Amino acid sequence: MSETRTTADFYFDPLCPWAWMTSRWMLEVEQVRPVDVRWKVMSLAVLNENKIDELPEQYRELLETKAWGPVRVVTAAQQLHGDEVVGKLYTALGNRFHNNGEEVGREAIIGALKDAGLPEDLIDYADKDTYDTELRASHAEGIDKVGQDVGTPVIAVPGPDGDEVAFFGPVVTPTPRGDAAARLWDGTLLVASTPGFYEIKRTRTAAPSFE
């Protein structure tokens, strides 16, 4: 495998458990391949805002009541404290939301801010649109690479011919570790960089396993 270091842009919404699983795999990939992850936000609320009335009631309620706060706080942290805090805050939020099963709300977000060593008053941005322009720009940057009919996460890397390769997923559980993580990375890049390749999919038969 090439030893040239590659930057992988990873677009996530903190609310999504499947994106969380993929993000933990990417941390493994960093250990076994010359890859550096650059964490960026996207938003399930933005993705679905023009079809909100078509969504199942439970999912619609989740997007309307829970989805904006976390991604707004991450965006505010990035704008005020730099790109380097994004991955750390995402990890803190994901540990609380997904691994610990904490309710998505102010208490969990404040706890995550503490865990990440960030000011607790960033929670004030959960209910503000102060950085929504930047949030939407990051979301558009990611989703424009793959199209509107996917979700989070989106991963984008430089391709072997210099053109960018971007894809949704992979959706996987539990998190592959070690050599398994490396094989999945190599295989994902192989199929994603194949001209005309669009999709491999099968029905999910297991929930996210937060091991």
Side-chain angles (χ1 to χ4, degrees):
M1 304 301 298
S2 170
E3 290 303 314
T4 302
R5 296 206 68 80
T6 296
T7 297
D9 288 333
F10 189 102
Y11 297 85
F12 67 91
D13 185 316
L15 202 65
C16 179
W18 292 104
W20 173 248
M21 297 300 303
T22 308
S23 74
R24 301 309 92 181
W25 165 65
M26 285 303 303
L27 292 181
E28 285 288 311
V29 171
E30 283 190 311
Q31 303 304 310
V32 295
R33 288 291 182 263
V35 173
D36 299 310
V37 180
R38 185 162 53 190
W39 305 99
K40 299 188 175 188
V41 295
M42 61 182 295
S43 168
L44 290 171
V46 173
L47 182 67
N48 290 285
E49 63 184 349
N50 292 326
K51 53 183 178 183
I52 194 73
D53 293 335
E54 304 169 15
L55 301 175
E57 181 178 354
Q58 186 174 8
Y59 188 48
R60 183 171 67 248
E61 182 180 357
L62 177 70
L63 294 181
E64 291 177 336
T65 62
K66 306 287 188 183
W68 283 102
V71 76
R72 278 175 165 167
V73 170
V74 174
T75 303
Q78 184 269 331
Q79 290 293 308
L80 296 172
H81 298 279
D83 294 340
E84 63 274 11
V85 306
V86 176
K88 185 184 299 186
L89 180 54
Y90 180 31
T91 290
L93 288 167
N95 281 333
R96 286 177 175 271
F97 294 166
H98 306 303
N99 290 24
N100 299 345
E102 296 182 28
E103 180 72 18
V104 177
R106 291 182 64 88
E107 184 176 347
I109 297 172
I110 291 172
L113 288 167
K114 291 180 182 178
D115 296 341
L118 289 165
E120 294 177 38
D121 61 7
L122 284 169
I123 187 62
D124 295 340
Y125 291 96
D127 300 318
K128 297 179 180 179
D129 63 1
T130 307
Y131 296 112
D132 278 11
T133 297
E134 290 80 3
L135 188 163
R136 288 176 179 276
S138 182
H139 173 87
E141 179 184 278
I143 207 69
D144 286 351
K145 299 175 188 294
V146 291
Q148 294 290 326
D149 58 343
V150 301
T152 177
V154 169
I155 300 175
V157 297
D161 58 359
D163 292 334
E164 188 174 59
V165 175
F167 49 89
F168 161 70
V171 177
V172 62
T173 189
T175 299
R177 308 286 182 183
D179 289 342
R183 289 194 300 271
L184 180 57
W185 176 252
D186 297 341
T188 299
L189 291 188
L190 178 63
V191 296
S193 61
T194 299
F197 174 82
Y198 293 106
E199 186 172 5
I200 289 178
K201 190 171 184 178
R202 60 183 176 184
T203 300
R204 301 177 197 176
T205 58
S209 176
F210 308 120
E211 296 179 353

